[in-house]
Amino acid sequence: FQPLHTLRNAEKELLPGFHQFEWQPALKNVCSSWDVGIIDGLSGWTTSVDDVPADTIARRFRYDVALVSALKDLEEDIMEGLRERGLDDIMCTSGFTVVVKESCDGMGDVSEKHGTGPAVPEKAVRFSFTIMSISIRVEGEDDGITIFQEQKPNSELSCRPLCLMFVDESDHETLTAILGPVVAERKAMLESRLILSIGGLLRSFRFFFRGTGYDEKMVREMEGLEASGSTYICTLCDSTRAEASQNMVLHSITRSHDENLERYEIWRKNPFSESADELRDRVKGVSAKPFMETQPTLDALHCDIGNATEFYKIFQDEIGEVYQRSNPSREERRRWRSTLDKQLRKKLKLKPVMRMNGNYARRLMTREAVDVVCELVPSEERREALQKLMELYLQMKPVWRSTCPSRDCPDQLCRYSYNSQQFADLLSSTFKYRYDGKITNYLHKTLAHVPEIVERDGSIGAWASEGNESGNKLFRRFRKMNARQSKMFELEDVLK
């Protein structure tokens, strides 16, 4: 690596702020200059006399400038896509539509830097985007013709960082203040067209943004919903935890950003002068102002992690035969967990982890793992039930994991509703001791909402947060190895 402030000209071309463009009509409340590189994430932060100075550092690109850079990177793919479709590139100067996936994730502990500057939180948040597809509307055709489709939508290589900030994702005020301008730029772009030179000709592009790369904690943060432990279990429907455990499968997606905004106004004004409980029931757990639109969907990676965490607990309960007893002591539970960890380590070389992660979840949710666990389960009947539960889960999993389920696993897609009903029946009978009046958030989504989302979007896996999560690893590596040892400059260097 060269020192980042001595980037060669060829490398500067790759960074946002190099290519000329314009918007028609001009973007509202966004500067029209195009040669804008990295900016302070706090620019536009209006401080009144009473305000404490922001104890955070943030660096970002302007959203439209970053999108232009991404499109210029794809210039050859766009031209090749036009040729493959037999389209005359001289005629195709307008009608392009770009679909963008947005992801945002908190990174937990990122301490280790010294240097001067404000005492910033030891946590970071990363906001990024991926160009998922580009299509063109041709005269005489009803549907757009796709000329570019991202083949690896969950790779860190296709996931472009837009904003890096030292802030705790739970700090709602700071997070909203930093992402506020990003939301404003995104809103302005929806009402305008980008004019950019691609293949030597000016062409016009429209953008659609889909915020899908968020875990449940971040969705609730952005959409103003109560935290994950709320009785309102779901970010897609109004079901309560008790209702979802009684009726595990039959729910449809009803929540939306606009509805959340309306409910927030009701929560704020209480027009019917209701008690706190009645009001909460009316707004179904909306308790803060939604500030960024997210797509009502399910994040495949966190679904895997959430469900694996639940299976890990079921395994412990089955080792201790909890179905025969009530309220085992903490000591007993610890003993079962230790037995399970030792077995998994001995037979599968699976080391125990403090917090469930994607790799552990993938290895735990296998036939081999359930067979190994069954060696510790005394009853033959319970062993069969556990194996059947895992078998059904493995039939369902490819449907939300695959980038294109109708192509990759059509049979499992067709059988999904049947399998999820079988899975739910097993939980509410054989495993009733765990699911009487309660169910986890991700199990509910897995059983109730997957077919509807796949029917609407064509895929769940392609829209996951995995690329952003992989990018988090790069953030840590670049920060350690390739960034200047200074709080002020390190985020700029990592962003580059």
Side-chain angles (χ1 to χ4, degrees), residues 272-491:
F272 308 106
S273 307
E274 292 166 306
S275 71
D277 286 345
E278 289 169 328
L279 182 59
R280 185 167 169 247
D281 183 54
R282 182 178 289 277
V283 298
K284 306 295 180 197
V286 174
S287 60
K289 186 172 183 180
F291 85 99
M292 190 172 210
E293 182 171 2
T294 65
Q295 199 69 23
T297 184
L298 165 156
D299 181 56
L301 173 67
H302 290 94
C303 182
D304 256 6
I305 292 171
N307 289 340
T309 305
E310 187 57 16
F311 265 80
Y312 182 69
K313 289 175 181 169
I314 291 174
F315 291 161
Q316 289 171 50
D317 285 355
E318 288 301 311
I319 289 168
E321 299 187 277
V322 174
Y323 65 96
Q324 290 179 340
R325 59 210 297 185
S326 56
N327 298 332
S329 69
R330 203 178 252 177
E331 270 309 308
E332 288 176 301
R333 286 195 176 282
R334 255 192 223 124
R335 202 165 60 244
W336 303 333
R337 179 175 180 166
S338 165
T339 307
L340 174 61
D341 284 343
K342 277 180 192 158
Q343 178 81 339
L344 292 172
R345 189 171 207 159
K346 185 172 143 194
K347 297 287 175 83
L348 294 181
K349 307 278 185 288
L350 198 50
K351 291 193 187 100
V353 285
M354 288 292 288
R355 195 158 156 259
M356 182 69 70
N357 59 52
N359 289 332
Y360 190 98
R362 271 185 281 275
R363 293 193 54 201
L364 185 70
M365 304 307 278
T366 56
R367 290 180 188 89
E368 296 80 57
V370 82
D371 290 343
V372 160
V373 172
C374 281
E375 291 174 19
L376 302 172
V377 175
S379 152
E380 177 64 36
E381 194 183 324
R382 306 299 296 184
R383 287 201 289 268
E384 282 174 15
L386 262 186
Q387 282 162 332
K388 187 177 178 193
L389 200 64
M390 181 64 85
E391 196 55 51
L392 285 167
Y393 185 82
L394 293 175
Q395 286 294 311
M396 291 173 355
K397 180 177 160 179
V399 175
W400 77 79
R401 254 327 198 165
S402 161
T403 322
C404 180
S406 59
R407 180 195 66 206
D408 300 338
C409 51
D411 294 348
Q412 281 126 317
L413 179 59
C414 289
R415 290 176 59 84
Y416 194 92
S417 294
Y418 173 76
N419 284 336
S420 62
Q421 185 63 61
Q422 293 272 295
F423 191 93
D425 290 346
L426 205 52
L427 290 188
S428 50
S429 56
T430 312
F431 297 92
K432 191 173 172 59
Y433 67 89
R434 254 195 100 73
Y435 300 98
D436 197 7
K438 55 189 196 289
I439 188 171
T440 63
N441 301 19
Y442 275 114
L443 263 184
H444 159 70
K445 285 180 181 170
T446 305
L447 296 173
H449 295 303
V450 167
E452 190 178 352
I453 301 170
V454 171
E455 193 175 332
R456 183 192 69 196
D457 299 343
S459 169
I460 292 175
W463 295 95
S465 68
E466 203 139 22
N468 194 47
E469 297 276 354
S470 304
N472 291 350
K473 275 194 281 198
L474 289 183
F475 173 93
R476 290 172 196 276
R477 191 167 92 213
F478 290 155
R479 185 164 179 250
K480 209 169 179 178
M481 313 293 288
N482 309 104
R484 283 171 278 185
Q485 299 283 311
S486 142
K487 282 184 188 170
M488 285 307 172
F489 290 115
E490 60 175 327
L491 284 189

Side-chain angles (χ1 to χ4, degrees), residues 44-104:
W45 182 296
T46 48
T47 47
S48 71
V49 181
D50 321 335
D51 264 359
V52 273
D55 62 341
T56 179
I57 297 173
R59 294 287 181 272
R60 72 181 186 92
F61 296 116
R62 210 174 75 203
Y63 208 158
D64 60 326
V65 179
L67 284 168
V68 164
S69 174
L71 282 177
K72 288 298 278 184
D73 275 359
L74 296 173
E75 188 166 16
E76 286 178 20
D77 297 286
I78 294 170
M79 299 311 292
E80 196 178 316
L82 287 172
R83 282 194 296 275
E84 279 177 5
R85 295 296 188 150
L87 299 169
D88 183 353
D89 76 279
I90 296 172
M91 303 299 289
C92 298
T93 54
S94 63
F96 288 90
T97 299
V98 182
V99 179
V100 178
K101 167 169 82 170
E102 294 177 321
S103 307
C104 185

